[in-house]
Structure formats: C-alpha cells, structure tokens
Amino acid sequence: MDRLIKPDTQSLDLFFIKGQKCSQTFDLTNLMHTMPVAISLTSSNPSIFSFPKPFAIIPPLSTLSFTIQLNNPCHNPPLSTPPNTVLVRSSMLPTGKAHQDDLRRLFSKPGPHIFKDAILPISFVGPQAAEFLLLSQPSSNNLEIDFHFSKAISRCDESDLTSLLRIAAVNGKSHFVSALIEAGADVNDKDSNRDSVMSLAVKSGEIDIVQVLIESGYVIENKIDRFLHDAAAMNRVDLMEILCLGYVNLDLDSVNSHGQTPLHLAAINGQVEALQFLISVGSEVDVTDIDGYTPLHYAAQEGHFEAVEFLLNHSVFGKYALTKDGKTAFALAVENNNLGLYDLLHLGDLLHRAARIDDVHTMKSCLAQGARVDGQDQNGWTPLHRASFKGHLESVKLLVSHGARVDVVDRTGYTPLLRAVEAGHVEVAMHLLSHGAKASLKSLKGMVNCDVESFKNHPSLVNTLHQEKEKA
C-alpha cells in the first residue's frame, strides 16, 4: 500500500473575491479497515495559506473535512508558477489517540512510517480571478496560464463568461476569447447600449478577435451593428475586408443615428484608403445624411485635401450638391477657412470657364485666390488648353505669365500649341512657341488634318508644322 488516505478532489479551488478571505473545504477518507490514521496538511507557502486543523486523526474507513484558507484578504489572487500546493501526509496510529504536539512530532521525523498520500495544486476560481489573469497575462499559448485560466472560469456561469468575453475583446486577448467561447460565453450578447462583443473588438481594432467571432457564429444585424462605420473612421481597411468577406449580406450603406454611412465617417476623418475600399465594393459616393451632407461636404468642411480630391474624381454631382442649409462643399470650405480646397471645389472650374470665354478679370481674381494655373479637367485640359483652342490671346498671355506649363498633354495627346494649331489660331501658336512650347512631340498624330495652308503668311510656323506632318 502506497497511501493510507484518499482525497475527494484532485485540486483545491478557492473562489476568489477581492478584499475578502477565501477558503475551500475538502474531504479525506481513511482507506484502512481497522487502523486509525494520523493526517498532516502542509502548504508549500505557509505565509499565504493555512489550515485551522493542520493535524487530525481519522478512524478506520471514516471521512473528515478539512479547510484551507487564504491568510490575508488581497486585491489580486496570489498566483504562482508552478502553482502552490498542499502536501497530504499520513501515518498509521495504532492507539488512535494523540495530542496535537504528539502529531507534530510524529510528522517532523521522516521515515518509512510517513506516507505521502497526495499533492493537491491550489487554484483560484471565479470571475474575479479570471479577470485578473485575462488582464495581467499575454494572449498567447502558455500551459501554466492556460491551466490557471481554465480553472478560474470553471466556476463561472454564462453571464460571467460573457462579461469576461467583452473584457477580452476590448483588451485584444484573442487566446482568452477562444477559451471563453468554448466554455459557453454568448458571442451574440448585447449590453444595455446594444453594443456587442463584435462591436467592442472592431472599435479596439482587434482583427484576430473579429475573425474568431465570425468563425464562432456571431450573427450580424444590419439595423443595429455599425462595424463598418467604426472601421472606416479608423481607416482599418483590413477590418472592413474581413467583415465584408465574413458577411455577404453586410449593408455597405447602413446609416447611424445621424443618417451617416461608413463613407461619411471615412470622409469626416479624412481616411482616403477607407474611401477607396468602400467605393470599390459599391458604397454610394453621393449619399446624403439627415442634414443633406454628402461625404464630400464633410471632407471639405474638415479640410481633408486628399479625401476631397478622391471624392471629386468619383462623385457625379457632389461638388454642386446642397445641404439642407443650402451650402455647397465649397461654401463649407470657405466657412472653415480651408484655403487649400478652394481650387478643387470652385476656383478651378471658374478659371476654366473664364479661360474659355476670355474673361481676363475673373482669371486674375481666381489666380490671386489660389487657383491652380495648370489644373486639369476630366479630359486633361488645362485653362491654357481652353484659351489656346478658343484663340484668346490675352488669356493665353496671362496664363503663361503666371507660370502655366506650355507643354502639358491632355488625354488625347494634345498640348495647348496643338489645340491652337488645330483651331487655326496663328497668334496664339506663335506666342506659345516663343515661350518654349515644343513643336516636336511624340503624340502628334492629331496634327495630320490641321489646315497648315492657313498659316502661309507665317513661314517659320509652316515649316515647323510641315516637319511634324512628315513625322506623323
């Protein structure tokens, strides 16, 4: 026989509550049919754990209860690696009688009369112990931590597990998230504010936890969940991608309490990558919120140049859309003194129009306010292209004097010089040539049909154009 007694448990689980003493009662049974047995209980850390009855006598085939207790209340469970333990020793006691001092002397002397019946690890259980482990330990595979945590949550009900799951989601503890879900936490639980565990994970930017929740069966509710809004505001394209892949029914244009879509949130925060992703997967670029604001309105109001530029390239009517207060994106930029947006939202258009009708006064005003002299429209035309094609020499001179590039190529390969030649405007062409316009360019196929004979009184220009026709 290698032991005299049998414990009723393989570990001692103390339910931990902050600031309170905790204890655990367990039973020991004498396996001897005729012989009483003396018992000794020893903690591996006596300064932390103690026993009201460290020594006792158990009659034959009888059972006695014993209690281990935490000596002092503490804020955090006193965990150790490896775990603290209780050593259970026994010795046959034929007389069946002995005082505590006698028992202490009996077990103080090693020898074959002393049996080591059990070594019981000490664990702390309950939600407060689990929360301490969750917040204090890294989210990674560690056998000791896994042991402590699995023991701690073994005494938690579904409500406790779900609360811990929310804490794990906020703090990015993906390893603990998986353990809690396996133990019975409700992945679809929502709090009084209708915030879900998934919402907390997205707001915290925890992509690993988002993936775990998707795989664990989180059911999305398009009327409530605003995950894309949160991800868009943070410019987390990776989160948006995993959400779109995980939920084919995800509403890209769902709205929050202000009627704003994820695209609005991306625009408000100037998140260009989020804008690019959302539009690429089908978000409506000119959608309006309850105040009539499009994403472009918000980007202009906040002064996000790159976001404004991107939205303009994809918007149908955003530049001219009015809020319920009758304001354009340009008006909002002006209100907020976002000078760098004036050209994109208004001055550029005004300068192009003025160049087309030879309104030199307006052109000077636009340029003075910051309009880009080489700003291109959807066809790649600059104001100089327009003035040159219309033959407006004064406008051409003004633009060139303000630094307009004379060799900018539009989307069909034409420079302002070629537009002037195409339209038969000799003086404009000569002025451009005199200011560095190149008569020899690669994209000149369009010159073949130019009326070169109309320039016969300008032999130098005719010779140049004939040469280009031959090249073409």
Side-chain angles (χ1 to χ4, degrees):
M1 177 177 289
D2 58 357
R3 63 177 181 170
L4 304 180
I5 64 99
K6 179 182 178 181
D8 68 342
T9 182
Q10 294 183 347
S11 66
L12 300 176
D13 300 337
L14 280 70
F15 197 93
F16 180 79
I17 300 176
K18 294 179 182 179
Q20 295 185 23
K21 286 187 176 182
C22 56
S23 61
Q24 174 65 28
T25 299
F26 59 101
D27 293 339
L28 296 177
T29 299
N30 182 355
L31 299 177
M32 302 295 291
H33 287 72
T34 60
M35 185 76 67
V37 172
I39 299 297
S40 168
L41 301 176
T42 308
S43 164
S44 60
N45 197 332
S47 64
I48 297 178
F49 303 100
S50 61
F51 304 90
K53 293 193 302 181
F55 303 101
I57 300 171
I58 307 178
L61 297 179
S62 298
T63 299
L64 285 183
S65 295
F66 297 85
T67 300
I68 181 173
Q69 62 187 20
L70 187 64
N71 290 333
N72 298 301
C74 50
H75 186 71
N76 296 318
L79 300 170
S80 66
T81 302
N84 287 305
T85 58
V86 169
L87 173 61
V88 181
R89 294 182 298 164
S90 63
S91 179
M92 287 182 284
L93 193 66
T95 63
K97 295 180 180 180
H99 295 293
Q100 289 291 306
D101 289 341
D102 297 330
L103 295 177
R104 185 175 290 105
R105 284 192 291 272
L106 172 66
F107 286 103
S108 67
K109 299 177 181 180
H113 64 289
I114 302 297
F115 291 78
K116 294 182 178 180
D117 293 271
I119 297 178
L120 304 177
I122 301 172
S123 298
F124 289 93
V125 299
Q128 292 188 15
E131 182 177 349
F132 169 75
L133 284 163
L134 194 157
L135 294 175
S136 64
Q137 303 299 327
S139 182
S140 60
N141 288 304
N142 181 298
L143 293 179
E144 289 289 348
I145 300 304
D146 287 351
F147 169 79
H148 284 305
F149 191 70
S150 63
K151 292 295 291 186
I153 63 177
S154 67
R155 294 281 295 277
C156 296
D157 59 21
E158 182 179 310
S159 176
D160 294 331
L161 293 169
T162 302
S163 295
L164 290 167
L165 181 62
R166 301 177 75 85
I167 296 171
V170 169
N171 290 276
K173 300 302 180 70
S174 58
H175 183 61
F176 294 107
V177 164
S178 298
L180 289 163
I181 293 173
E182 290 176 7
D186 183 3
V187 296
N188 288 296
D189 177 72
K190 290 181 173 62
D191 64 14
S192 58
N193 296 319
R194 304 297 287 163
D195 278 337
S196 63
V197 177
M198 179 70 88
S199 176
L200 297 173
V202 171
K203 288 177 180 177
S204 300
E206 300 296 342
I207 191 167
D208 290 341
I209 297 179
V210 170
Q211 182 66 57
V212 170
L213 294 173
I214 291 174
E215 294 172 353
S216 298
Y218 180 84
V219 179
I220 197 164
E221 296 184 56
N222 280 315
K223 292 183 178 180
I224 299 174
D225 294 326
R226 296 291 173 263
F227 307 143
L228 284 182
H229 289 74
D230 296 327
M234 298 186 295
N235 207 31
R236 288 295 300 273
V237 174
D238 55 345
L239 285 174
M240 291 191 288
E241 286 178 340
I242 198 172
L243 288 167
C244 288
L245 288 172
Y247 301 103
V248 294
N249 63 330
L250 190 62
D251 184 0
L252 299 173
D253 294 317
S254 64
V255 296
N256 60 18
S257 59
H258 300 289
Q260 297 163 338
T261 68
L263 203 65
H264 281 103
L265 272 293
I268 289 170
N269 291 278
Q271 309 293 18
V272 178
E273 291 180 3
L275 292 172
Q276 292 171 337
F277 174 80
L278 288 167
I279 290 176
S280 73
V281 295
S283 293
E284 172 57 49
V285 67
D286 289 323
V287 64
T288 57
D289 66 7
I290 59 176
D291 294 317
Y293 278 58
T294 66
L296 181 61
H297 281 109
Y298 281 115
Q301 178 176 271
E302 300 300 325
H304 300 309
F305 183 90
E306 291 185 16
V308 167
E309 189 172 41
F310 176 79
L311 289 168
L312 284 174
N313 288 333
H314 292 80
S315 173
V316 176
F317 60 84
K319 185 185 292 189
Y320 312 105
L322 298 176
T323 66
K324 287 187 175 180
D325 294 332
K327 296 176 182 178
T328 63
F330 173 70
L332 292 170
V334 172
E335 279 186 10
N336 291 277
N337 201 33
N338 296 323
L339 304 178
L341 298 178
Y342 291 3
D343 179 69
L344 283 175
L345 294 170
H346 181 66
L347 296 179
D349 289 348
L350 197 58
L351 180 60
H352 274 263
R353 179 179 178 278
R356 179 170 57 82
I357 64 175
D358 204 26
D359 184 351
V360 175
H361 175 75
T362 298
M363 292 173 66
K364 288 180 179 178
S365 175
C366 290
L367 292 169
Q369 292 180 72
R372 291 184 298 170
V373 71
D374 289 320
Q376 293 179 281
D377 65 10
Q378 67 273 19
N379 297 312
W381 280 38
T382 65
L384 189 58
H385 277 94
R386 293 191 178 279
S388 299
F389 182 69
K390 289 292 185 178
H392 299 321
L393 183 59
E394 292 304 313
S395 292
V396 169
K397 288 180 178 179
L398 175 67
L399 291 166
V400 171
S401 70
H402 277 77
R405 293 165 54 203
V406 294
D407 286 327
V408 175
V409 177
D410 65 18
R411 292 189 178 178
T412 57
Y414 279 64
T415 63
L417 172 62
L418 297 184
R419 291 299 177 191
V421 171
E422 178 186 35
H425 301 305
V426 176
E427 290 185 77
V428 170
M430 294 300 292
H431 185 78
L432 292 171
L433 284 167
S434 68
H435 283 79
K438 296 177 182 178
S440 177
L441 294 172
K442 292 181 180 180
S443 300
L444 296 173
K445 298 296 183 182
M447 287 190 63
V448 175
N449 297 321
C450 290
D451 185 8
V452 177
E453 296 305 319
S454 63
F455 303 132
K456 59 186 178 181
N457 293 326
H458 302 274
S460 61
L461 181 57
V462 170
N463 289 335
T464 299
L465 296 177
H466 271 303
Q467 292 173 7
E468 298 304 333
K469 282 189 69 176
E470 291 174 2
K471 293 178 182 178

